[in-house]
Amino acid sequence: MLTTVSQRLLLLLLLVVAVLPSAAGQDKTGGWRLAAESSPYLRLHVDNPVNWYPWGEEAFARARRENKPVFISIGYFTCHWCHVMARESFSNPGIAKQLNDNFIAIKVDREQRPDVDDAYMQYVMMTSGRGGWPMSVWATPNGDPFLGGTYFPADAGRGRPGMKQLLAKLAGLWKSDEDGIRETATNAVALLKKTAGSAVPLEKLTTAPLLEVRRHYAKSYDDMQGGFGPAPKFPQPARLMFLLQDEPQESADMALFTLDRMVAGGIYDQLGGGFHRYSTDFDWRVPHFEKMLYDQALIARACLFAYRRSGAQQYANTAREVLDFTLEEMHAAEGGFYSALGADSPVPGNETGHMEEGAYYTWTWGQLTEALDDRGLRDWAAARYGVAKSGNALSDPLDEMGGKNVLYRALDNRALAEAFKVDLVTAARRNAEVERHLRAARRKRPAVPVDDKVVAVWNGYMMTTLALAGRLLDEPRYIKAAEATASFVLDNLYAAEQGVLYRDWRAGERGVPAFSEDYAAVAEGLLALYRVTGDKRWLNSAMALVDTLLATFLDAVNGGFFSTAADTELWVREKEASDGATLSANAIAIHVLQLLGDLTGDKNYHRLAWQTAAWAAAQLHNTPAAMPYSLILWDCLLYTSPSPRDIEVHLVCRLLLEKRGGGGGGG
């Protein structure tokens, strides 16, 4: 029997062992720590020789303990150049040794942690003038950045310094001038905090932002190919939605023509439906091939706005094609929608599993010949889709697109009928036959990888779009799909007892707590469902989410909503008003609060919507073109003052907006 002293010593030993890292864990090398993460992007790096950590205190604690700088690599699952850097650098044993010996390496999925991404992107933009992914940042052991950039090749080239040389230089500088590096990082963070200050909200809203936005969009509009600005061209669905509800017909015409050119281009998958991420050229022909859930939801919604504004059936048809593709290819068996389909996929016929961008979607002349052994059909397909024997796609820096064809609508049905001297019925029949053969051939190729995490904000987008599609197209199946998505999100990503929404879900596991954009977008989707079904459970759930949005993210001093909760570990709480590929949390919040005020008669919601708009307009007073989703409701907001009038004003305003095709995402 053990003595009391022996018992105490044994207990102490057990406690020490329990809190120390396991010997097995210490002996392991490489990215094994990422295997337990819910992010598919992080799990892609499990087999890297780099000793990756996920974002968290464990990594920074080790950095402080060993006094090593931190290397933070931020990317996402469908990012082509992230995969390139992973192949070139993070799979390179020599570079891995440099990182492991001299740095603590952290991998971040920007889609799971937009707060981390935003904070370090602000630094990279401030110091280099441009940003992008993969994002590469070096920081002190407490996370303060001192150097940042995007993609770096393994060796110097392509106008960029190489990782090998850069890592060696930084390791040496840390040893020789650690104090100087720390001072640089401290100053950078101080400047970031200063520049991130919130604007003081306007006392009155005017029509000035609308007038400026119309002028800006008209000036940047490409009247030859549609879209705005130079290549690369992004779909910018929030901008299209604004233009499609803006009163002047010139605004709608710009959006309609842009949608026409996008649907005819290679950015649209001519065989499978759905939109790729963006076009690398002026003509919408050569895309980056990832397919994002948010693009499908928002571009389909823009098509619905186009149908509502113009009455043209072609826009309804495109919306159906996009939504049906999304329901078939991006819908989780358990419910909800996956985040994305990858751009890179295994090259057909290559037994090594080598992956290239667009391998699933592009065609060589030989592949076309194999799929269409009938010469007449082959000639028809080549004419319809602009296929050339030498390829029609511009080569990228890695020459992965050389000799390949991206399918686009080079000729419409009438032009094809005239060129081949057949009637329109025969042209339609040949189109269908060609599509059938090409789809069958493409389905035999290795499938594109799927980022199968379910993200709250983008599922909120889909709920809103599906509800609107069900009403405008008179198709109840879309409303049922929206309801199923809402039920999945509330059952799996929402802890109702605590009032906590989670950002993401995968394989039965919740990820990180949600951000303001998640709360706002899911609430908007629930309100859209309530408007088309009258089911009060959707209204009640939306109000519960808005209660948390107000309690956790509202800037009570200046109005608007922070992206993160007050307990963020980062140096700044972002407040985003700009719409980009996605919608800003504040823009969605304006729609949600305004609609809740209309539906409930609670004027406080209208007051908060107005305050949010007054802050956003002040924050972006020089660049109102960056806030198109907010401007959709500007006419309504102009009727509002900090002490709102009767609800009838807002109902009349909303009816006027809906009459000309606006009125927000819910229809």
Side-chain angles (χ1 to χ4, degrees), residues 509-576:
E509 292 185 33
R510 292 169 175 163
V512 300
F515 302 93
S516 59
E517 65 174 356
D518 299 289
Y519 281 91
V522 174
E524 184 178 36
L526 293 169
L527 291 176
L529 264 177
Y530 172 67
R531 295 186 70 195
V532 297
T533 66
D535 189 335
K536 285 201 170 182
R537 64 176 165 157
W538 307 129
L539 174 62
N540 293 335
S541 295
M543 292 176 69
L545 289 172
V546 171
D547 286 345
T548 305
L549 178 71
L550 295 172
T552 307
F553 302 99
L554 179 66
D555 180 351
V557 176
N558 291 309
F561 295 88
F562 294 106
S563 299
T564 58
D567 60 355
T568 177
E569 71 264 46
L570 298 164
W571 54 80
V572 65
R573 293 181 75 190
E574 291 286 340
K575 277 179 68 182
E576 186 57 68

Side-chain angles (χ1 to χ4, degrees), residues 41 55 124 201 403 424 456 479 487 540:
Y41 172 66
W55 177 271
V124 172
L424 288 174
I479 296 174
S487 294
N540 293 335

Side-chain angles (χ1 to χ4, degrees), residues 46-372:
V46 166
D47 295 329
N48 289 170
V50 177
N51 293 339
W52 291 116
Y53 281 83
W55 177 271
E57 176 55 25
E58 182 183 3
F60 289 103
R62 180 175 175 184
R64 292 190 296 269
R65 187 168 63 248
E66 299 182 8
N67 194 34
K68 288 181 178 179
V70 174
F71 170 65
I72 304 167
S73 176
I74 303 176
Y76 56 104
F77 187 88
T78 58
C79 167
H80 172 65
W81 286 98
C82 297
H83 296 310
V84 173
M85 194 166 177
R87 289 196 300 267
E88 292 178 344
S89 293
F90 304 144
S91 298
N92 183 309
I95 291 176
K97 187 175 189 309
Q98 287 180 288
L99 283 168
N100 297 340
D101 289 349
N102 301 302
F103 304 88
I104 301 301
I106 298 175
K107 255 293 172 192
V108 178
D109 182 344
R110 68 173 293 257
E111 296 177 344
Q112 188 178 53
R113 292 301 303 262
D115 55 334
V116 176
D117 178 62
D118 287 345
Y120 286 104
M121 182 60 75
Q122 292 298 322
Y123 170 77
V124 172
M125 292 288 291
M126 180 181 73
T127 54
S128 70
R130 63 179 185 177
W133 301 276
M135 187 175 9
S136 305
V137 178
W138 286 265
T140 63
N142 65 351
D144 293 347
F146 60 83
L147 182 69
T150 54
Y151 161 79
F152 293 101
D155 291 291
R158 304 172 194 156
R160 297 172 182 269
M163 278 291 284
K164 293 177 183 176
Q165 296 80 15
L166 191 55
L167 291 173
K169 181 70 172 176
L170 291 175
L173 284 173
W174 183 257
K175 292 177 181 177
S176 64
D177 191 20
E178 178 187 332
D179 290 342
I181 290 175
R182 286 182 179 273
E183 182 179 0
T184 297
T186 299
N187 292 339
V189 168
L191 184 57
L192 286 167
K193 289 180 178 178
K194 182 178 179 180
T195 57
S198 178
V200 177
L202 301 178
E203 295 182 359
K204 181 181 179 181
L205 300 184
T206 70
T207 60
L210 293 174
L211 299 175
E212 169 57 23
V213 164
R214 289 171 186 151
R215 185 198 67 78
H216 176 88
Y217 288 172
K219 183 178 180 181
S220 61
Y221 176 63
D222 179 353
D223 57 7
M224 296 294 291
Q225 292 296 335
F228 303 89
K233 279 187 174 176
F234 290 81
Q236 298 178 302
R239 182 174 296 193
L240 299 178
M241 284 187 272
F242 164 77
L243 291 169
L244 287 163
Q245 63 78 51
D246 194 29
E247 189 168 10
Q249 186 59 38
E250 294 83 357
S251 293
D253 288 343
M254 287 190 288
L256 293 172
F257 182 66
T258 296
L259 283 171
D260 291 344
R261 299 312 303 153
M262 286 168 53
V263 173
I267 192 174
Y268 187 66
D269 182 353
Q270 301 296 329
L271 294 179
F275 283 91
H276 299 297
R277 180 68 197 90
Y278 65 91
S279 173
T280 62
D281 62 337
F282 284 93
D283 303 327
W284 303 104
R285 289 186 186 173
V286 184
H288 271 305
F289 288 90
E290 59 263 46
K291 289 182 177 179
M292 317 301 291
L293 178 62
Y294 54 76
D295 281 326
Q296 314 315 315
L298 297 178
I299 300 174
R301 200 184 308 176
C303 291
L304 293 169
F305 273 47
Y307 173 58
R308 183 166 58 183
R309 178 67 179 258
S310 70
Q313 194 63 41
Q314 69 200 66
Y315 302 113
N317 292 340
T318 300
R320 284 191 189 93
E321 289 176 6
V322 174
L323 293 177
D324 290 348
F325 152 76
T326 311
L327 284 164
E328 182 176 348
E329 301 293 336
M330 301 183 73
H331 196 244
E334 304 91 339
F337 290 89
Y338 296 141
S339 297
L341 302 182
D344 295 32
S345 59
V347 176
N350 188 320
E351 296 181 358
T352 67
H354 173 67
M355 298 176 71
E356 290 183 1
E357 183 177 14
Y360 183 78
Y361 300 103
T362 56
W363 297 80
T364 64
W365 186 259
Q367 289 172 324
L368 187 76
T369 301
E370 185 178 350
L372 296 168

Side-chain angles (χ1 to χ4, degrees), residues 31-39 43 46 509:
W32 61 272
R33 294 178 183 85
L34 304 182
E37 295 300 304
S38 62
S39 163
R43 292 162 73 97
V46 166
E509 292 185 33

